Amino acid sequence: MKKLTAYLKEHKITEVECVISDMTGIARGKIAPVAKFINEKGMRMPESVLLQTVTGDYVEDEPYDALLDKADIDFICVPDENAVFKLPWTIEATAQVIHDTFDKMGNPVELSPRNVLRKVLNLYEKKGWKPVVAPEMEFYLTRRNKDPDQALIPPMGRSGRQESGRQSFSIDAANEYDPLFEDMYDWCEIQGLDIDTLIHEEGTAQMEINFSHGDPLSLADQVFVFKRTLREAALKHDVCATFMAKPVADEPGSAMHLHQSVVDIDTGNNIFSLEDGSYSPLFFSYIGGLQKYIPEFLPLLAPNVNSFRRFLPGTSAPINLEWGEENRTCGLRIPESSPQNLRIENRIAGADSNSYLAIAASLLAGYIGMVDDVKPSTPVQGRANETRQSISLPLTLEEALVVMAESTVCREYLGEVFTTGYIAVKQADLASYKRVISSWEREYLLLTV
């Protein structure tokens, strides 16, 4: 705690938000006075927090009782001194500290998304490899919305007018929200979030922020913190920011594109490239692993009912696992780069996914591919969705959960406890969704069937 204590004193922090990520990616935890936080060196939380759904409910009795102690005991949360973020929007000087979770015997809690990512990174370390990732986060700005039955509307910009039509890569359209984005950049700098380019995406009032490449755990933390930071900046300017995968009908969905490569720990060389600059066998087997195993891990990349609304033919979201050079119609795109910067862009993950789990799933699929020497398909020329559909994805959450439940590699690598728990949480979300009667049903079925 020495480094962390020094940081808190240096920045005159008076309150600490002690947080962990649940399955959905919601920050859950406690707020403590700084003296109490330093004295207790962490916190305790009930195990059941990690089996909460997006609605705040808990999974049904059977998986709940099978996975958790019947006494609903606490797990131990230990602060990570490398995951401390000073919150710029609070009245009191407050720091957010991300915690790791352990049981009373000191073992990592298997249901923890952050521990799942650590488990995958340990696999790489044992091979002498270090993965490198760079997330790209898409999101929409909207007017504040008090009625969930009402469609979302673009917010007013500096001009006093709301955006209409699609303004891909428009500087002027992005500048309409300059005051908001200036706060966002300032707040990210204060917190040490390594964000890079801002662009206006294809949708109306849809934007994208790119993160600089780096360590997967650090980037997962940063995405986790960034989502909250952007929402707070938006609220300050009387608008909302949403990372829903498909928040607006007839507009493109929002993705979390994951650029990924792997370097040799000893040499720092990119193992995807040979000395002559050509693609290595490990590069091809990594792609093969993504193609083979992403369908089994898909609920980690597309975790909600709404996630699958992105996957529609004729939209900008790929509904395939083909790969191709500089081909955005492929689920797996190879951007043009130097041999040392050779990377694979996974375009499947939604912006609504838990950053720890989406990164873990993508890296794990590639890892298994390299270890088992999985062969990829041939690269696609032209539009992947039109040329062939040999490698497709489950297109509903219900179908994807069945595939994940039947996956032996998921249980082997991510663990029986996590796999069972995650599926139970998502099945509970699905059951909650099915209980709601939609406006479409009332409009078209009420007086006609």
Side-chain angles (χ1 to χ4, degrees):
M1 291 285 289
K2 288 184 179 180
K3 177 181 175 181
L4 182 51
T5 300
Y7 174 93
L8 297 174
K9 290 181 178 179
E10 177 186 352
H11 290 85
K12 298 181 173 58
I13 300 298
T14 59
E15 288 185 343
V16 177
E17 294 187 356
C18 312
V19 302
I20 64 169
S21 167
D22 72 358
M23 294 289 195
T24 302
I26 296 171
R28 301 197 186 271
K30 300 178 180 181
I31 302 173
V34 68
K36 180 179 177 65
F37 171 78
I38 293 173
N39 182 58
E40 295 189 355
K41 300 180 177 61
M43 65 171 173
R44 292 175 177 268
M45 291 183 68
E47 286 184 324
S48 53
V49 165
L50 292 174
L51 288 181
Q52 274 188 283
T53 69
V54 71
T55 66
D57 295 323
Y58 296 89
V59 301
E60 297 297 331
D61 292 341
E62 184 178 343
Y64 187 98
D65 291 341
L67 297 172
L68 302 181
D69 190 291
K70 289 182 172 54
D72 196 15
I73 62 174
D74 289 344
F75 54 66
I76 300 165
C77 302
V78 178
D80 184 342
E81 63 181 11
N82 297 312
V84 183
F85 306 88
K86 188 176 187 296
L87 300 185
W89 57 81
T90 57
I91 297 175
E92 296 287 334
T94 304
Q96 177 178 234
V97 182
I98 297 175
H99 286 53
D100 286 312
T101 55
F102 302 89
D103 63 22
K104 60 184 178 182
M105 303 300 293
N107 302 307
V109 173
E110 293 182 76
L111 290 170
S112 162
R114 200 167 191 256
N115 286 343
V116 169
L117 178 54
R118 281 191 184 277
K119 179 183 288 189
V120 173
L121 296 179
N122 287 339
L123 294 173
Y124 276 86
E125 186 176 6
K126 290 175 182 177
K127 291 288 186 180
W129 299 331
K130 180 175 176 56
V132 178
V133 302
E136 298 175 348
M137 297 299 298
E138 296 175 343
F139 58 89
Y140 276 86
L141 299 177
T142 77
R143 290 191 193 181
R144 292 202 184 198
N145 181 279
K146 297 180 180 179
D147 184 353
D149 276 336
Q150 295 298 311
L152 299 177
I153 301 172
M156 297 291 185
R158 292 185 304 146
S159 64
R161 302 180 65 180
Q162 73 180 47
E163 186 175 315
S164 60
R166 296 183 178 179
Q167 301 291 338
S168 302
F169 294 95
S170 169
I171 299 298
D172 290 337
N175 286 344
E176 282 286 290
Y177 311 105
D178 266 356
L180 188 163
F181 291 134
E182 286 172 6
D183 279 339
M184 179 194 74
Y185 270 106
D186 288 344
W187 290 1
C188 286
E189 183 177 359
I190 289 170
Q191 295 177 98
L193 305 185
D194 198 6
I195 62 173
D196 190 3
T197 311
L198 168 70
I199 65 171
H200 193 298
E201 259 295 345
E202 185 179 348
T204 306
Q206 184 189 31
M207 310 291 168
E208 177 184 277
I209 279 285
N210 298 335
F211 285 77
S212 299
H213 67 274
D215 174 72
L217 183 63
S218 174
L219 266 301
D221 286 339
Q222 290 185 49
V223 171
F224 175 65
V225 174
F226 172 75
K227 285 186 172 183
R228 187 178 180 201
T229 301
L230 178 63
R231 291 191 192 104
E232 289 288 344
L235 290 175
K236 177 183 174 182
H237 294 272
D238 201 34
V239 300
C240 287
T242 178
F243 293 93
M244 277 180 65
K246 184 77 168 180
V248 184
D250 302 320
E251 293 283 0
S254 291
M256 179 169 69
H257 296 152
L258 292 172
H259 292 253
Q260 54 215 282
S261 59
V262 183
V263 299
D264 183 277
I265 291 177
D266 293 331
T267 66
N269 293 332
N270 188 335
I271 68 172
F272 287 171
S273 298
L274 298 176
E275 289 186 7
D276 62 2
S278 60
Y279 297 158
S280 71
L282 289 175
F283 169 79
F284 290 110
S285 58
Y286 193 101
I287 293 174
L290 292 174
Q291 291 183 322
K292 183 174 181 178
Y293 293 111
I294 281 179
E296 299 183 31
F297 302 152
L298 188 58
L300 304 177
L301 302 166
N304 304 301
V305 172
N306 180 262
S307 307
F308 290 82
R309 296 188 186 276
R310 280 181 62 231
F311 302 138
L312 293 174
T315 66
S316 57
I319 56 173
N320 62 76
L321 283 171
E322 304 289 357
W323 72 282
E325 298 170 339
E326 282 297 331
N327 191 333
R328 285 186 170 84
T329 69
C330 293
L332 306 172
R333 170 178 170 257
I334 313 304
E336 185 177 349
S337 68
S338 66
Q340 181 60 21
N341 293 322
L342 178 61
R343 61 195 184 275
I344 301 163
E345 179 189 14
N346 180 350
R347 297 172 59 80
I348 300 300
D352 58 334
S353 59
N354 181 315
S355 56
Y356 300 103
L357 298 180
I359 293 173
S362 195
L363 293 179
L364 179 57
Y367 170 85
I368 302 172
M370 291 191 293
V371 170
D372 292 348
D373 191 23
V374 178
K375 304 300 182 186
S377 64
T378 57
V380 166
Q381 306 292 330
R383 298 190 65 82
N385 291 344
E386 296 174 359
T387 56
R388 65 190 189 200
Q389 281 293 301
S390 58
I391 308 171
S392 58
L393 294 165
L395 293 181
T396 67
L397 179 59
E398 199 161 18
E399 180 186 351
L401 289 173
V402 170
V403 174
M404 185 175 181
E406 295 173 348
S407 170
T408 57
V409 294
C410 194
R411 296 180 189 278
E412 176 185 353
Y413 284 97
L414 300 181
E416 182 71 35
V417 169
F418 171 78
T419 303
T420 301
Y422 187 80
I423 291 171
V425 167
K426 293 305 163 184
Q427 285 176 334
D429 285 340
L430 187 59
S432 175
Y433 169 80
K434 287 182 174 181
R435 287 193 289 268
V436 176
I437 309 303
S438 70
S439 57
W440 186 95
E441 291 165 278
R442 289 190 292 271
E443 180 174 355
Y444 294 105
L445 303 181
L446 184 67
L447 302 176
T448 57
V449 296

